[in-house]
Amino acid sequence: MATSVGENIRSYPYAYLITAPRFLGYSFNPVSFWYLYSADKELKAMVLEVNNTFDERRMYFLNGSSSSSDQSEDCIEENTTTCRTFRNTWTKDFHVSPFNSRKGSYAMTAHDPFSPHLNNHLGTIDNNITLKSSKAHAKLVARIFSTEPGIDPTTLTSWERLRFIAAWWWVGSVTFPRIIKEAGKLFFRRKLHVWYRPEVLKDSIGRQGTMDETIIERSFRHYLKSLVKSSAARSLIYISPIPHPSSPAEGETFTPKTSLTTDLVKDEPIVFKPTTPLFYSRLVRHAHISEFISSELLRDDEKDRTFWVSHPEPCLKIFERSTNTSVGVEDDKGEEESSSSILERCGWQLLHLLRNHRPQPPSVDNSTTNNDDTNQNTKKQSDIRSFSLSPLDRHTKNHLPPPQSAR
C-alpha cells in the first residue's frame, strides 16, 4: 500500500490495527484503522481500509503532514496533559452508500491511542470522520470512540476470556443487518435519492471474482502474454483483480520478442489493469476483443469502465492486430477437430450462437431529428458481421488444458 503511493514502508516500523475481529470465519468492517509509527514511536501516517456491502475495498493512505498536538478535554486524563492528534482531509473516490455519490471529500480527526511514544497500550480510541459534499457542505459525521478503558488480553483468565467472547461474539454478525435496516429507513421513510453503484476506479479493489470469471481471467492472461510476445512493440504490465499465486500484486510483466534480442524497445511499458472481475464477464460476450476494448475506452463516464490502461492507443493496437491477423492464435483445424470431444464442440457452437443472437443496443442520436424517423432507422439497423469464435476462444481451445477450455 505504502509503495503504491510513493512511501517507504521502512519509515513505519511500528503498525497497529483497530478493527473488528473475525468470529467463526466471518467479519464485516465498514472501516478499519491502521496507525503507522516512525522509529521514534510517533504517529506519522494512517491507513483507512474502507469496505462497502458490495465486497469492494478502498485503502486510503494518509500522511501526517497535518498532525498536531492538541490539548482538549476529550483526550486529557488525570496524569496526561497532551494528546497527539492526527488530522487529514482527502478526496472521496469510492462508492460506500447508495445515498451518497462518489463525489466529495472526507475530513478526519483521530487521537493517538498509544500516546505518548507507544507507552499507553490501553489508551482510548476517538476518531471523527466528516463526509463533505462537492460544495464542501458537511453531510455526515461519524465517530468511533471508547466508552471504557482498554483490556489487555494477556492479563485475562480463561473464565474472563470466555465471558468476553460470550458478550461480544454477535456484534460483528449484526453489522450488515443493521446497515440494511438503516438503509430501509432512509429509502422508505426519508425518500432519499439512490445513486447506483459505479464500477471501482484503479486505486480501489474490486469484488472477488466468480468461478467462471476466474477461469476466463486465466485464459485471458495466457492469451495476452502470447499476444504481447508475438505482436507488441513494447512491454505490458498486467495487473489482475483476481489474485493468482504466480502473479505478484504489482503486476506481471509481458515482454515482446523484439526486446529480448534488441534494444529497440525503449518506451515505457503499458500498464493494463482490469479494475473489476466484471471485465471478464463482459469480455467473453464479444467475438471482437478490440471492439470491446475500444467501446470501454470511449465511455464518457469513468464509473462504467471495467479497466484502466496507461497508454490507450498502443494497447488498442495490440488487440486490433489480433483481430486482423492470426498472430498468437494459430489454428490447426484438423488437430482441433480430432482433439475436441463432441461435448466441447457443442459448447463452443453454443457460445457462437449466443454471441450471434445477442441483442445489440440501439444507437442513440442526440441531434435534433424527428423521433419517429430515429426509431424507424434504429429498427432497420442490423449487425451483418460474422460472430465466429474470437481469437481468445481459439487460443483457449488450442493452448490450454481441455477442462479449462471446456469451461
Side-chain angles (χ1 to χ4, degrees):
M1 173 63 192
T3 55
S4 63
V5 293
E7 293 286 338
N8 185 4
I9 59 175
R10 299 182 183 274
S11 302
Y12 311 102
Y14 303 99
Y16 291 86
L17 172 64
I18 294 180
T19 187
R22 289 181 177 271
F23 185 79
L24 296 179
Y26 176 80
S27 175
F28 177 74
N29 292 288
V31 59
S32 300
F33 301 90
W34 290 87
Y35 296 80
L36 306 182
Y37 294 84
S38 65
D40 297 330
K41 298 183 178 181
E42 293 184 356
L43 179 61
K44 292 296 184 180
M46 291 185 66
V47 174
L48 268 63
E49 184 177 338
V50 182
N51 300 275
N52 61 20
T53 55
F54 303 99
D55 195 25
E56 297 169 341
R57 193 187 329 164
R58 175 68 164 99
M59 310 282 281
Y60 291 107
F61 182 88
L62 311 176
N63 58 42
S65 59
S66 56
S67 300
S68 62
S69 294
D70 184 25
Q71 187 170 354
S72 60
E73 295 181 358
D74 293 337
C75 61
I76 294 180
E77 299 178 0
E78 294 181 359
N79 298 326
T80 62
T81 58
T82 303
C83 176
R84 183 70 177 175
T85 303
F86 185 97
R87 291 187 174 92
N88 210 305
T89 59
W90 66 97
T91 303
K92 181 177 186 285
D93 60 1
F94 181 69
H95 179 79
V96 177
S97 168
F99 304 106
N100 291 296
S101 68
R102 198 161 57 181
K103 299 178 181 179
S105 62
Y106 291 108
M108 184 184 70
T109 301
H111 293 156
D112 182 0
F114 307 113
S115 178
H117 305 294
L118 297 179
N119 292 327
N120 184 17
H121 292 287
L122 299 179
T124 57
I125 304 169
D126 193 355
N127 297 342
N128 287 271
I129 300 179
T130 302
L131 170 63
K132 297 182 180 181
S133 66
S134 56
K135 297 181 180 180
H137 299 311
K139 299 182 63 177
L140 177 69
V141 178
R143 183 187 180 193
I144 177 173
F145 60 95
S146 302
T147 57
E148 296 180 4
I151 299 175
D152 187 354
T154 60
T155 62
L156 298 179
T157 63
S158 299
W159 173 247
E160 289 174 334
R161 294 179 184 179
L162 183 61
R163 287 182 56 189
F164 179 84
I165 294 175
W168 291 97
W169 69 269
W170 59 273
V171 175
S173 61
V174 300
T175 300
F176 184 76
R178 284 174 172 174
I179 293 176
I180 299 300
K181 177 184 176 182
E182 296 302 320
K185 292 181 180 179
L186 295 176
F187 181 74
F188 293 106
R189 294 184 183 179
R190 301 291 183 178
K191 307 295 182 181
L192 292 187
H193 174 74
V194 174
W195 299 83
Y196 289 97
R197 180 189 65 85
E199 298 301 330
V200 296
L201 301 178
K202 68 181 184 70
D203 293 326
S204 301
I205 302 175
R207 60 170 174 81
Q208 294 185 358
T210 63
M211 182 181 298
D212 290 337
E213 289 169 338
T214 302
I215 294 175
I216 297 172
E217 188 277 333
R218 293 174 183 172
S219 299
F220 177 78
R221 173 162 37 86
H222 192 275
Y223 167 70
L224 183 60
K225 182 178 181 179
S226 174
L227 195 61
V228 172
K229 183 178 180 180
S230 59
S231 63
R234 64 171 75 178
S235 300
L236 184 143
I237 300 176
Y238 170 67
I239 304 176
S240 173
I242 301 178
H244 191 269
S246 62
S247 300
E250 61 273 14
E252 188 175 357
T253 301
F254 302 148
T255 306
K257 282 185 177 179
T258 54
S259 65
L260 297 177
T261 57
T262 65
D263 193 27
L264 298 177
V265 181
K266 296 182 179 180
D267 296 327
E268 60 181 7
I270 302 170
V271 180
F272 186 85
K273 180 182 181 181
T275 55
T276 169
L278 181 63
F279 169 82
Y280 307 103
S281 297
R282 289 183 179 179
L283 171 71
V284 78
R285 300 176 185 176
H286 294 259
H288 305 280
I289 300 181
S290 60
E291 182 183 82
F292 167 68
I293 298 295
S294 61
S295 64
E296 290 283 301
L297 291 174
L298 290 175
R299 291 181 183 271
D300 295 333
D301 200 335
E302 261 190 341
K303 67 181 181 181
D304 295 325
R305 296 177 185 171
T306 57
F307 70 90
W308 175 86
V309 61
S310 60
H311 300 79
E313 291 186 5
C315 179
L316 183 58
K317 289 181 179 179
I318 295 176
F319 293 101
E320 287 178 344
R321 182 173 175 82
S322 71
T323 303
N324 298 330
T325 66
S326 58
V327 175
V329 289
E330 301 83 355
D331 186 13
D332 187 346
K333 292 185 178 179
E335 179 182 354
E336 176 183 316
E337 293 295 334
S338 61
S339 61
S340 299
S341 65
I342 297 177
L343 182 61
E344 288 181 35
R345 291 199 295 269
C346 291
W348 289 111
Q349 184 64 23
L350 178 60
L351 177 61
H352 166 77
L353 293 175
L354 290 174
R355 283 196 183 126
N356 196 32
H357 292 86
R358 184 169 58 89
Q360 299 297 316
S363 60
V364 179
D365 188 0
N366 294 325
S367 60
T368 57
T369 59
N370 186 276
N371 291 333
D372 295 336
D373 295 339
T374 302
N375 294 332
Q376 186 177 1
N377 293 333
T378 301
K379 293 179 181 179
K380 292 181 179 179
Q381 292 176 354
S382 62
D383 197 331
I384 62 175
R385 293 170 302 173
S386 175
F387 280 78
S388 60
L389 295 181
S390 71
L392 174 61
D393 298 335
R394 299 186 184 279
H395 183 87
T396 302
K397 290 182 65 176
N398 298 336
H399 298 281
L400 294 178
Q404 180 168 324
S405 61
R407 181 76 184 187

